[in-house]
Amino acid sequence: MATDAELRSTIDSCKAKKERYERVKNSISSNGLDYKRDVSNMNDFIDYCEEIISLVNSDEGYHYLDRFAEKLQEDVDTMTEYRDFVRDANTSFQNLYRTLERKISTLDTQITNARNEYNEGKSFLEKLYW
């Protein structure tokens, strides 16, 4: 059985961690990164650009635009990298948000258990302060 000082220390430590986790979690949420971001517009635009590249490279008589197709392909590659980065970063933030929720829940349980153990055998008035 832990001493009262150890239990108070445990509770204070858990509360401090919980506050840090909640600050990060709230920051993620306030920036709208806790839910899946939609990249369908970017996907549609990339597909549209790739159709143009195919058309320019086809036998439609657009061969005089061959540098255009090459440049557009470079831009499409850059947009694809950007889209993938956004999607991966968003997934990471969602995972971090869920991890923080679990850790906060675990800390709440630890605080409750330590508080219950601390209050065990104490009078009603002693429990009010803690």
Side-chain angles (χ1 to χ4, degrees):
M1 181 153 192
T3 67
D4 284 352
E6 291 172 332
L7 290 170
R8 281 193 301 265
S9 175
T10 298
I11 291 169
D12 290 341
S13 173
C14 288
K15 282 182 177 180
K17 279 184 186 177
K18 179 182 172 187
E19 287 174 9
R20 284 193 308 268
Y21 292 161
E22 284 178 335
R23 277 194 306 271
V24 174
K25 181 181 158 235
N26 291 339
S27 180
I28 291 170
S29 179
S30 68
N31 286 295
L33 299 171
D34 57 326
Y35 62 91
K36 185 171 178 71
R37 307 296 279 196
D38 183 23
V39 293
S40 62
N41 287 341
M42 181 61 79
N43 290 337
D44 293 343
F45 185 69
I46 290 170
D47 291 344
Y48 174 72
C49 290
E50 288 175 342
E51 288 174 18
I52 291 173
I53 291 169
S54 295
L55 179 63
V56 168
N57 289 335
S58 70
D59 291 329
E60 299 286 325
Y62 295 106
H63 296 292
Y64 60 92
L65 295 174
D66 63 340
R67 178 66 185 126
F68 172 76
E70 191 177 305
K71 177 63 176 136
L72 186 56
Q73 184 60 55
E74 291 171 9
D75 293 342
V76 166
D77 293 344
T78 301
M79 287 185 290
T80 302
E81 287 178 29
Y82 173 75
R83 183 215 42 215
D84 293 346
F85 173 79
V86 168
R87 185 186 56 229
D88 294 345
N90 182 231
T91 299
S92 295
F93 276 112
Q94 286 178 292
N95 291 339
L96 177 60
Y97 187 85
R98 286 191 296 274
T99 299
L100 290 170
E101 284 183 325
R102 286 191 303 274
K103 287 182 179 275
I104 290 169
S105 177
T106 299
L107 287 169
D108 282 336
T109 301
Q110 289 175 347
I111 292 168
T112 300
N113 291 341
R115 189 174 283 148
N116 289 340
E117 187 177 341
Y118 176 84
N119 287 329
E120 192 174 297
K122 295 208 172 21
S123 71
F124 178 73
L125 289 177
E126 292 175 304
K127 291 179 184 179
L128 287 179
Y129 294 109
W130 200 213

